[in-house]
């Protein structure tokens, strides 16, 4: 990945607006919101001004003119430079072509799932499944209404991508919850035993001794050993 002089995704959205025509900041915000870009790009007016100043500093945009209407404050209209066009083109090519490692919050939670008791984990996964179901229904309605407009599918690509990701996540968490419930998830036996001992007031030193003695099964004892007992902080 290229280390960019301005890396905030909002900067690329600004360049995209100015790629169409010169605009002043409020017009950029209005344009992005009218097109539903705030669903894909974090947008707030305070950050917008900081991004604009940074883009200007690095020569990607410049002041085209200033305008004043009556007694209203002066408006600064910006335009994209050739350097800015080249940066936007390169940035877009990288975003579309090159996969990057991201750190979604759900992945963090899944990586530390044994911090929760199995029953609690299953219940929370089912709650997430239900919330995803509700959001998918809402997005399906929005999509149907969008199809009724004279709007090419091209302009709804990011929405369809988001739905596809949500559907995949929904299927994953629903399956995981079900496998915890029916005990078909590998390792669920020691996970339950671990929380049973915690519930009885045993500390980790005692639990390590039990693991070493094969209380969790010989495979777990061989894998972790008495000094490296599995704990709720890691899988």
């Amino acid at each position: 990945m290229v280390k960019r002089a301005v890396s905030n995704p909002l900067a690329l959205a600004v360049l995209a607006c100015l790629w169409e025509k010169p605009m002043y900041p409020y017009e950029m915000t209005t344009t992005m919101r009218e097109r539903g870009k705030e669903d894909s790009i974090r947008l707030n007016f305070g950050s917008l001004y900081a991004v604009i100043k940074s883009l200007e500093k690095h020569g990607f945009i410049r002041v085209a003119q200033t305008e004043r209407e009556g007694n209203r404050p002066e408006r600064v209209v910006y335009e994209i430079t050739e350097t800015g066009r080249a940066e936007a083109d390169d940035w877009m090519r990288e975003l579309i072509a090159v996969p990057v490692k991201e750190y979604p919050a759900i992945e963090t939670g899944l990586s530390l799932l044994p911090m929760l008791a199995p029953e609690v984990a299953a219940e929370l996964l089912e709650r997430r499944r239900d919330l995803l179901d509700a959001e998918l229904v809402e997005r399906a309605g929005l999509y149907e209404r969008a199809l009724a407009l004279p709007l090419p599918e091209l302009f709804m690509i990011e929405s369809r991508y988001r739905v596809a990701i949500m559907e995949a996540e929904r299927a994953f968490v629903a399956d995981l919850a079900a496998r915890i419930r029916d005990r078909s998830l590998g390792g669920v036996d020691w996970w339950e035993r671990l929380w049973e001992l915690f519930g009885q007031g045993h500390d980790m030193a005692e639990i390590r001794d039990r693991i070493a003695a094969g209380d969790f099964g010989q495979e777990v004892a061989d894998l972790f050993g008495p000094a490296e007992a599995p704990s709720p902080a890691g899988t």
Side-chain angles (χ1 to χ4, degrees), residues 121-142:
E123 180 182 338
L124 294 173
L125 287 165
E126 289 162 350
R127 187 183 305 176
R128 188 181 188 95
R129 175 205 62 199
D130 293 344
L131 290 171
L132 286 167
D133 281 340
E135 188 170 352
L136 283 166
V137 169
E138 181 181 354
R139 285 183 175 268
L142 291 172

Side-chain angles (χ1 to χ4, degrees), residues 8 10-11 13-15 17 24-30 32-33 42-55 61 78:
N8 188 332
L10 182 56
V14 169
L15 292 174
C17 285
Y24 55 93
Y26 184 76
E27 186 179 6
M28 296 178 206
T29 303
T30 301
M32 291 181 214
R33 285 180 173 154
R42 188 172 297 171
L43 173 62
N44 68 69
F45 211 58
S47 297
L48 179 66
Y49 274 105
V51 163
I52 286 172
K53 290 302 179 185
S54 188
L55 288 170
I61 66 175
Y78 293 91

